[in-house]
């Protein structure tokens, strides 16, 4: 436990984290993907349809040949993020594919213009497309939720969920793959079992390194430093390095995951969040990151400008930044 600033405390102890998580359910405003949209909460059935559609799109994408590997050259994690969007969502019409573009999402004005363009997407609002069936025009199942919206509110929320789901997945997978490549530089066998590499990366450099909770009376009394009006940053990044749970906690050792049937049941390990607020796409992240890593390694991707240390901004995603080149 430590005080980060006047209003925020950081927690890395697994037992105290468990008490905090159990004190109250996570709020929708504390979950970036499912926060309210269009002036209303995201209904449970809408969230379920989004997860199902995204799963279909990832499964279909993994089966397709990847785009040319030269798209992975350049600044990471931005290059693989764009690469994944082309791979998974490149079949969507231009207005829809712009929903998750980094340059668009960082501008409220551009986001509103794109939203209007999507509203004018031919055939939208007819209720004719659902993710359970293949779209005749080749668009993704996630885009099908926009086209199949039955009323203006559902459509606004489908647009918001497309933007959030596609961006969150691609950003998270790109960060995980980039962190793994950076750690593999020092590994004696860089082509070892990639699934174990990714689980060890989730331990040492988890993209979801910090989980934020707004304060409240439910937390007061759990620890003298926690105030009802304060906020809490839960830090798996530090918990994953605690010697109480890990031997050689600062060493990159993928072999520690060999033969582990369910890594998420390992004590002191929370790579995708906590009960009641786990990553909604966790079952998609490791297979997609493994596929991305395979493409990168098979095409001789090398890191040009590695850094041994760098500041970690107080943002929810931890991604090592570097320049990469791809071999012929």
């Amino acid at each position: 436990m430590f005080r980060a600033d006047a209003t925020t405390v950081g927690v890395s102890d697994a037992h105290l984290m468990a008490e905090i998580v159990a004190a109250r359910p996570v709020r929708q405003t504390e979950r970036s993907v499912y926060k309210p949209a269009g002036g209303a909460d995201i209904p449970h059935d809408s969230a379920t349809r989004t997860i199902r559609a995204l799963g279909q799109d990832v499964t279909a994408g993994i089966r397709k040949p990847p785009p040319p590997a030269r798209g992975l050259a350049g600044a990471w994690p931005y290059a693989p993020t764009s690469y994944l969007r082309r791979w998974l969502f490149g079949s969507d019409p231009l207005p829809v594919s712009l929903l998750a573009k980094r340059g668009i999402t960082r501008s409220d004005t551009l986001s509103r213009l794109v939203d209007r363009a999507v509203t004018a997407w031919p055939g939208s609002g007819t209720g004719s497309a659902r993710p359970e069936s293949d779209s005749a025009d080749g668009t993704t199942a996630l885009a099908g939720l926009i086209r199949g919206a039955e009323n203006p509110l559902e459509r606004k929320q489908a647009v918001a969920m497309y933007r959030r789901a596609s961006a969150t997945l691609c950003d998270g997978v790109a960060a995980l793959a980039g962190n793994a490549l950076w750690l593999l530089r020092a590994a004696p066998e860089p082509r070892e079992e990639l699934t174990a590499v990714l689980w060890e990366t989730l331990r040492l450099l988890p993209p979801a390194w910090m989980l934020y909770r707004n304060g409240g009376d439910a937390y007061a009394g759990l620890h003298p430093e926690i105030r009802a009006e304060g906020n809490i940053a839960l830090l798996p990044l530090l918990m994953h390095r605690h010697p109480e749970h890990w031997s050689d906690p600062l060493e990159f050792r993928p072999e520690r995951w060999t033969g582990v049937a369910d890594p998420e049941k390992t004590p002191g390990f929370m790579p995708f969040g906590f009960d009641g607020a786990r990553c909604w796409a966790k079952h998609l992240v490791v297979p997609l990151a493994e596929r991305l890593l395979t493409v990168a390694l098979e095409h001789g991707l090398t890191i040009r400008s590695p850094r041994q240390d760098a500041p970690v901004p107080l943002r929810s995603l931890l991604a090592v930044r570097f320049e990469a080149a791809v071999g012929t």
Side-chain angles (χ1 to χ4, degrees):
M1 164 72 74
F2 62 93
R3 180 156 293 282
D5 55 41
T7 61
T8 306
V9 293
V11 179
S12 62
D13 178 76
H15 305 294
L16 182 55
M17 280 190 183
E19 290 184 35
I20 292 170
V21 170
R24 67 161 172 81
V26 63
R27 299 168 182 164
Q28 281 202 320
T29 53
E30 295 169 332
R31 304 187 71 177
S32 59
V33 176
Y34 294 132
K35 63 185 178 182
D41 290 340
I42 301 294
H44 178 74
D45 60 342
S46 176
T48 301
R49 285 199 302 269
T50 299
I51 296 171
R52 186 185 303 121
L54 191 64
Q56 287 184 248
D57 293 336
V58 170
T59 301
I62 289 177
R63 291 172 179 167
K64 292 189 302 185
R70 62 177 178 271
L72 293 174
W76 279 58
Y78 307 115
T81 297
S82 298
Y83 184 88
L84 286 166
R85 286 172 181 162
R86 289 197 304 274
W87 193 353
L88 300 178
F89 306 105
S91 63
D92 288 336
L94 181 61
V96 178
S97 66
L98 289 175
L99 286 172
K101 292 288 186 182
R102 183 177 177 83
I104 301 294
T105 57
R106 296 175 72 179
S107 167
D108 291 339
T109 300
L110 289 177
S111 293
R112 286 194 294 270
L113 289 174
V114 170
D115 288 358
R116 291 174 184 173
V118 174
T119 301
W121 178 24
S124 61
T126 63
S128 59
R130 289 291 177 187
E132 287 77 4
S133 60
D134 293 331
S135 178
D137 59 5
T139 58
T140 62
L142 205 58
L145 294 179
I146 300 174
R147 176 167 287 184
E150 297 178 347
N151 57 66
L153 175 60
E154 186 177 322
R155 181 168 182 76
K156 285 182 180 179
Q157 294 195 328
V159 168
M161 293 299 284
Y162 182 104
R163 175 181 286 120
R164 296 174 190 175
S166 58
T168 300
L169 178 73
C170 293
D171 289 350
V173 170
L176 175 57
N179 294 354
L181 283 170
W182 190 84
L183 289 168
L184 276 172
R185 291 179 307 112
E189 297 292 338
R191 292 186 182 274
E192 56 192 302
E193 215 275 313
L194 290 183
T195 302
V197 165
L198 289 168
W199 284 112
E200 181 70 344
T201 300
L202 285 164
R203 184 187 71 84
L204 267 182
L205 292 176
W209 71 285
M210 178 192 68
L211 303 169
Y212 211 67
R213 294 289 183 269
N214 301 124
D217 293 336
Y219 299 141
L222 296 179
H223 190 280
E225 286 292 325
I226 300 179
R227 305 165 187 164
E229 68 277 10
N231 300 312
I232 301 172
L234 306 175
L235 299 165
L237 176 69
L238 301 182
M239 181 179 67
H240 290 176
R241 297 159 180 252
H242 199 293
E244 177 184 338
H245 301 293
W246 309 94
S247 60
D248 300 321
L250 300 184
E251 296 296 321
F252 178 60
R253 292 175 47 198
E255 64 273 12
R256 74 172 82 233
W257 299 103
T258 301
V260 178
D262 189 351
E264 286 194 86
K265 291 184 178 179
T266 303
F269 186 52
M270 294 288 181
F272 295 111
F274 299 85
D275 290 337
R278 291 190 185 275
C279 173
W280 45 270
K282 68 171 189 171
H283 61 293
L284 307 175
V285 171
V286 172
L288 186 56
E290 185 172 349
R291 187 78 171 91
L292 181 62
L293 271 183
T294 300
V295 174
L297 294 174
E298 287 180 347
H299 290 83
L301 185 140
T302 57
I303 297 176
R304 281 182 167 174
S305 57
R307 293 185 60 174
Q308 297 301 315
D309 63 284
V312 179
L314 196 63
R315 292 196 290 263
S316 59
L317 191 68
L318 173 61
V320 178
R321 299 184 181 189
F322 55 81
E323 293 287 329
V326 176
T328 55

